Amino acid sequence: MKAIVKTKREKGLELQDLPVPVPRDDEVLIQVKAAAICGSDLKLYNWEPGCEKVFPNLPVVPGHECSGVVVAIGANVQNISKGDHVAAETHVPCGTCWQCLHDRPHTCENMPLFGHNIDGCFAEYAIIPCAAARKVPASLSFTQAALLEPMGIPLRAVLDGNVKGDSVVIVGAGPIGLFATAFAKIMEAGQVIVLDVNPKRLEYARAVGADYAIRPEGDQIIGEINALTKDFGGAGIVIEASGNVEAIHQAVQYIRVGGHFFMIGHTDLPVSFHPSRDIVKKEISIKGLFGRQIWETWDTAEEILVSGKLDVTPIISHRFSLDQFEEAFQTAFSGSGAKILLLPE
Ligand code: ZN
């Protein structure tokens, strides 16, 4: 089978011909129908700092956002059959640690990560551990099903934020920010403001319903947000999907007293706050979100897709075959795309 493989601890990926894997007792084998590129795949491509930890075992087949058709199942697999359509959850819970036993399998202490420290889906076939295989209705397209994973975290932020009628600021208009924007509109936010430095991404934000899509110019953005959110007493909910230190610092300044700050963007750089001024006296709640609640978030995301309320079309900017992976990744690096799909067929 064709597979994209990370073989060396340096920049680049390669297309290889690998044997089709055979599922073990607790695994299913899928024929991959749609896969999507995530920001973490770009970090892997470039072998950025931190990759040593996240991708300890090379060679590895990257890719973790996907859907496909089950073509073989292991001996112990019960609820999934050949021919079923499935999507993959990236966080593979162990089922026995404290987190797993306390209804938090998405933050399992021992979890392998699909497409990180176990092989993923940028290939014609992929093995999914059954603890991470999500059966999806055949009425969903494979593209929709492949996007259930990346839409999960922004969906959690919007649901936890209780956005109805309130002012929402979404920082970063990459695919995660775009999903957050679309969900905030579906959940009837009073006002959705999206910030990004990339004008192309601001166009995508408008296409998914942003009321305002703004390119921030330094700290001026604080005054601009304050003016726009005046009728709401300020920005009630901020969803930080950029991982940009300056943007995070600005957000704690324009967020409303008593506001909710959801951090879903990643950075390993430190951010400094004045705890008294920025957090305590403002009674800001800060919540990090990592992963999807298994399977509650999936149930809700699936319901929204089946209902037809979420149109993913404006969020998908490009489609490539596995042979064109280099072009797909270069398009992703260029910042001119939104969600970029790899379609094995
Ligand atoms: Zn666990």
Side-chain angles (χ1 to χ4, degrees):
M1 68 171 186
K2 284 179 191 170
I4 298 170
V5 189
K6 184 73 175 182
T7 56
K8 300 191 187 89
R9 291 174 171 78
E10 58 189 50
K11 192 170 173 174
L13 294 168
E14 34 189 285
L15 189 67
Q16 290 189 346
D17 187 20
L18 298 182
V20 174
V22 176
R24 290 178 295 188
D25 288 352
D26 295 309
E27 296 174 339
V28 302
L29 176 71
I30 65 162
Q31 183 183 13
V32 179
K33 294 289 190 179
I37 297 178
C38 169
S40 62
D41 301 316
L42 303 182
K43 288 183 183 173
L44 171 71
Y45 183 101
N46 281 336
W47 198 250
E48 289 181 15
C51 281
E52 288 282 356
K53 268 194 174 170
V54 186
F55 302 94
N57 318 312
L58 301 190
V60 70
V61 176
H64 55 274
E65 300 173 358
C66 71
S67 65
V69 177
V70 176
V71 291
I73 60 171
N76 296 341
V77 175
Q78 305 233 322
N79 300 318
I80 295 174
S81 313
K82 271 202 243 181
D84 283 347
H85 294 193
V86 297
E89 164 56 58
T90 306
H91 295 194
V92 185
C94 74
T96 57
C97 72
W98 193 95
Q99 292 286 325
C100 280
L101 294 175
H102 291 80
D103 206 21
R104 298 185 52 90
H106 65 291
T107 48
C108 169
E109 295 164 28
N110 310 310
M111 60 190 177
L113 293 174
F114 181 62
H116 295 75
N117 49 11
I118 56 172
D119 280 342
C121 62
F122 289 165
E124 290 179 291
Y125 294 88
I127 293 282
I128 307 177
C130 57
R134 164 78 185 194
K135 198 167 149 178
V136 296
S139 61
L140 291 187
S141 71
F142 288 111
T143 296
Q144 287 175 312
L147 297 178
L148 284 165
E149 198 269 13
M151 71 176 66
I153 295 176
L155 175 59
R156 283 184 68 197
V158 169
L159 292 173
D160 284 7
N162 196 19
V163 301
K164 189 171 180 179
D166 207 343
S167 171
V168 183
V169 175
I170 293 161
V171 186
I176 300 297
L178 295 175
F179 279 122
T181 305
F183 285 130
K185 292 302 289 185
I186 291 169
M187 307 298 171
E188 299 172 24
Q191 174 190 61
V192 180
I193 302 167
V194 181
L195 311 182
D196 202 292
V197 293
N198 180 332
K200 186 72 198 165
R201 289 194 158 170
L202 294 177
E203 280 177 33
Y204 292 124
R206 289 185 194 103
V208 295
D211 298 303
Y212 302 91
I214 303 170
R215 185 180 197 282
E217 302 280 353
D219 282 350
Q220 279 180 39
I221 191 65
I222 299 167
E224 286 175 57
I225 302 263
N226 287 339
L228 284 173
T229 59
K230 200 161 166 280
D231 292 346
F232 299 87
I237 297 105
V238 177
I239 299 174
E240 205 305 301
S242 76
N244 180 282
V245 170
E246 189 187 1
I248 295 168
H249 198 246
Q250 289 158 350
V252 294
Q253 296 176 72
Y254 59 67
I255 194 168
R256 185 174 68 209
V257 169
H260 302 286
F261 188 24
F262 294 93
M263 301 190 76
I264 61 179
H266 291 259
T267 177
D268 289 322
L269 298 172
V271 180
S272 64
F273 293 129
H274 290 235
S276 174
R277 181 193 70 192
D278 297 335
I279 314 291
V280 180
K281 288 181 183 171
K282 286 183 77 173
E283 294 201 346
I284 307 298
S285 65
I286 300 180
K287 186 172 184 182
L289 294 172
F290 182 54
R292 296 136 297 277
Q293 288 175 305
I294 302 170
W295 294 98
E296 297 87 336
T297 308
W298 286 80
D299 293 338
T300 310
E302 189 182 291
E303 273 168 36
I304 292 170
L305 279 181
V306 170
S307 74
K309 284 182 197 160
L310 174 66
D311 178 11
V312 298
T313 325
I315 299 177
I316 300 161
S317 61
H318 297 81
R319 294 174 165 82
F320 295 99
S321 68
L322 288 176
D323 293 315
Q324 298 168 308
F325 81 91
E326 196 65 63
E327 196 183 344
F329 274 78
Q330 294 314 319
T331 305
F333 285 122
S334 76
S336 64
K339 208 59 176 158
I340 295 171
L341 300 180
L342 287 172
L343 305 170
E345 287 181 309

